[in-house]
Amino acid sequence: MISLYDLIKDSDNIVFFGGAGVSTESGIPDFRSEQGIYATKQAFGYPPETILSRSFFLSQPEIFFKYYRQNLIFSSAEPNAAHRALARLEQAGKLKAVVTQNIDSLHQQAGSCSVLELHGSAARNYCVRCRATYDISIVVNSEGIPKCTQCGGMVRPDVVLYEEGLDNSVLAESIDCIAAADMLIVGGTSLNVHPAAGLISYYNGNKLVIINKGITPYDAKADLRINDSIGKVLGETVDQMFDTPLKP
């Protein structure tokens, strides 16, 4: 049976598609596991899915931001072995893009440059009135609703909420990258969240690798399925390819 090492070695247009499981090893909880953000069915009197919706954000922003600060901002989180391995593959010219469902920007912190954020980024924020932009500090350091220093309007995170569609330009570029890839590595995602999960159907090659601790609806279509920690798998594989091991 062919190994992940051999598949990566023989590829030079790799795309990685990842979900929340990529960042759990950095201490960021996922959404749907037993320890995930949604494990608590009610938060502040409402289900998390309700609080993280566009209509709730507009109608009750105070509660939204209180929940958002407590559950979706992890300023102390650092890239793990998976993030660093992917950045290293990009630097080596093998990995062409990371398509991520995460909003934590850990791929960029690890050194990845070509990152397509399907659900936006908590690191970016903007005024809903004048569109002035801010980094994450305006949310972290404010109390209640963060306000624009230029016009006084409400500042919101540049993330995709429930009831909102994905950014069409990011979606189109993700499709193009996946369709052109000679290898697609899928990791840390249950592939149950659409439309993001449906992106892998655009892959036309014969090197589809799924690395995930749980089962996914696409397992039968994978050319290689690895049921293990994505940080361990990618970290050890990339270490094999280069003389200098990844930093712990």
Side-chain angles (χ1 to χ4, degrees):
M1 183 177 180
I2 194 163
S3 68
L4 178 61
Y5 175 92
D6 290 329
L7 290 174
I8 292 176
K9 183 182 68 175
D10 295 336
S11 304
D12 58 11
N13 188 359
I14 303 170
V15 171
F16 177 80
F17 177 83
V22 177
S23 293
T24 54
E25 293 172 50
S26 293
I28 298 177
D30 61 12
F31 286 83
R32 291 171 174 81
S33 72
E34 292 182 2
Q35 293 78 34
I37 291 172
Y38 291 170
T40 302
K41 296 301 182 183
Q42 297 288 329
F44 300 92
Y46 303 90
E49 297 93 331
T50 298
I51 295 177
L52 297 175
S53 68
R54 176 179 176 82
S55 56
F56 191 93
F57 165 73
L58 293 174
S59 64
Q60 301 195 59
E62 297 90 349
I63 298 177
F64 170 88
F65 277 107
K66 185 176 181 181
Y67 180 81
Y68 180 81
R69 288 188 187 96
Q70 290 183 13
N71 294 278
L72 277 87
I73 293 180
F74 298 88
S75 301
S76 62
E78 296 183 355
N80 60 54
H83 298 107
R84 296 192 295 270
L86 292 167
R88 199 166 188 183
L89 288 174
E90 181 184 301
Q91 292 160 9
K94 285 188 168 291
L95 185 76
K96 302 305 180 185
V98 169
V99 180
T100 180
Q101 299 174 76
N102 298 335
I103 63 171
D104 51 46
S105 298
L106 291 180
H107 286 293
Q108 291 93 327
Q109 290 181 39
S112 290
C113 297
S114 181
V115 182
L116 297 166
E117 297 168 311
L118 292 172
H119 295 151
S121 172
R124 298 189 303 270
N125 300 268
Y126 64 91
C127 174
V128 299
R129 183 186 298 167
C130 73
R131 310 298 289 190
T133 58
Y134 297 88
D135 62 24
I136 197 170
S137 64
I138 193 169
V139 177
V140 173
N141 297 328
S142 62
E143 294 184 6
I145 302 170
K147 294 297 181 67
C148 177
T149 58
Q150 298 184 32
C151 74
M154 180 167 62
V155 174
R156 65 159 285 177
D158 188 10
V159 299
V160 179
L161 303 176
Y162 286 100
E163 303 170 353
E164 294 181 334
L166 303 185
D167 184 287
N168 286 331
S169 62
V170 175
L171 186 60
E173 189 174 356
S174 299
I175 290 172
D176 288 345
C177 288
I178 290 172
D182 62 3
M183 179 178 182
L184 177 62
I185 303 174
V186 179
T189 173
S190 63
L191 293 174
N192 284 317
V193 179
H194 291 271
L199 291 180
I200 72 170
S201 63
Y202 290 94
Y203 177 60
N204 300 308
N206 60 359
K207 289 185 276 187
L208 172 61
V209 178
I210 297 179
I211 308 170
N212 198 56
K213 288 184 176 180
I215 62 174
T216 82
Y218 293 84
D219 285 355
K221 298 181 180 180
D223 299 289
L224 177 62
R225 174 70 169 86
I226 302 174
N227 183 25
D228 205 342
S229 157
I230 188 165
K232 174 186 175 185
V233 172
L234 287 180
E236 290 179 353
T237 301
V238 171
D239 271 354
Q240 281 184 270
M241 306 189 111
F242 302 97
D243 293 333
T244 306
L246 286 166
K247 295 180 180 179

